[in-house]
Amino acid sequence: MIIAIDGPAASGKGTLARRIAQHLGYIHLDTGLLYRAVARDMKEQGLDLEDAARAAATAADLDLASLEDPDLRAPGLGDAASVVAKHQPVRERLLKLQQDFAHTPPGAVLDGRDIGTVVCPEADVKIYVTASSEVRARRRFNERMQRGDAATYEGVLADIQRRDERDAARDAAPMRPAADAVLLDTSDLDIEAAFDQALGVIHRKVGRPG
Ligand code: CDP
């Protein structure tokens, strides 16, 4: 059983995917961490994020244990990740490991931008999570305040909008809902309500997965 959860920055897809996986006893992969890790490794070596060949080589050398690094969530790496994620050779390098993960029995939940369209077009359930950019910026801003980060709402909103534009406009696996994805707008939903709705979608599509 493969469940694909896609959507734009700070849409809540990660929290939702984690909750669903926990509820169903499936494994979960936040695929954004892969692109964040490539960006981190390139920055550490002083490499140019626009260099597709270097970025692909860095993706090929990725140490999967390093995905546990809590610093991967650092705000600056989101933007850097979206630069390396534009490169088709980087995406190709990361494809098989995502697909292998997705086929782990009894099931897997993957969240990202292109899971339903490119990584797992055969996924049993596809949910595309959205919310207005203002709501998403507010949520991300609150998260960062709780962590004690210095951030402004306007800065967070600008980052989200710039990243969404880059992710949607790129040629390689652009961010968009798969034709057979169910849209879940969480602008007016808290995490509990979003989780209930997502579970409803899963039950309608595949019954009650065991
Ligand atoms: O958590 P947040 O929504 O801020 O970002 P993320 O999911 O960690 O993704 C960071 C960046 O990685 C995105 O802006 C995308 O450019 C890229 N990404 C991608 O291209 N494809 C994926 N499946 C996941 C992330």
Side-chain angles (χ1 to χ4, degrees), residues 171-194:
D171 294 328
M175 170 176 78
R176 60 177 173 77
D180 52 349
V182 175
L183 298 189
L184 177 56
D185 187 331
T186 67
S187 299
D188 298 318
L189 303 178
D190 62 14
I191 177 63
E192 287 305 322

Side-chain angles (χ1 to χ4, degrees), residues 4-5 78 82 85 88 102-103 111 118 127 133 143 160 177 179 185 202 207 209-210:
I5 315 264
S82 91
Q88 177 64 24
H103 286 95
D111 75 86
V118 175
I127 300 177
S133 47
E143 268 170 36
I160 281 178
D185 187 331
I202 294 167

Side-chain angles (χ1 to χ4, degrees), residues 7 47 64-65 69 72 74 91 93 100 106 125 138 147 168 170 192 200 202 209:
L47 300 174
L64 292 182
D69 176 4
L72 279 182
R91 309 196 70 86
R93 290 284 181 177
D100 287 347
V125 181
R138 179 61 58 194
R147 284 208 309 253
R170 70 187 178 210
E192 287 305 322
I202 294 167

Side-chain angles (χ1 to χ4, degrees), residues 8-10 13 30-33 35-36 78 81-82 85 91 98 112-115 140 163 167 170:
K13 61 191 183 307
D30 170 354
T31 62
L33 290 180
Y35 299 93
R36 286 172 179 266
S82 91
R91 309 196 70 86
Q98 295 175 79
R113 302 290 187 288
D114 62 337
I115 309 303
R140 181 69 36 109
R163 211 135 59 83
D167 290 347
R170 70 187 178 210

Side-chain angles (χ1 to χ4, degrees), residues 73-96:
R73 308 258 174 215
L77 277 184
D79 198 61
S82 91
V83 176
V84 303
K86 290 185 306 186
H87 306 311
Q88 177 64 24
V90 170
R91 309 196 70 86
E92 280 166 16
R93 290 284 181 177
L94 298 175
L95 190 59
K96 189 172 179 303

Side-chain angles (χ1 to χ4, degrees), residues 90-168:
V90 170
R91 309 196 70 86
E92 280 166 16
R93 290 284 181 177
L94 298 175
L95 190 59
K96 189 172 179 303
L97 79 93
Q98 295 175 79
Q99 290 173 335
D100 287 347
F101 188 96
H103 286 95
T104 309
V109 183
L110 282 78
D111 75 86
R113 302 290 187 288
D114 62 337
I115 309 303
T117 51
V118 175
V119 176
C120 302
E122 79 286 19
D124 302 278
V125 181
K126 300 179 186 179
I127 300 177
Y128 193 85
V129 186
T130 56
S132 72
S133 47
E134 289 75 16
V135 166
R136 290 185 285 123
R138 179 61 58 194
R139 287 182 190 151
R140 181 69 36 109
F141 173 68
N142 289 342
E143 268 170 36
R144 292 186 55 184
M145 287 293 103
Q146 274 168 15
R147 284 208 309 253
D149 286 1
T152 61
Y153 168 78
E154 289 74 20
V156 173
L157 179 63
D159 174 66
I160 281 178
Q161 288 174 334
R162 184 175 57 244
R163 211 135 59 83
D164 286 353
E165 269 167 38
R166 194 187 286 129
D167 290 347

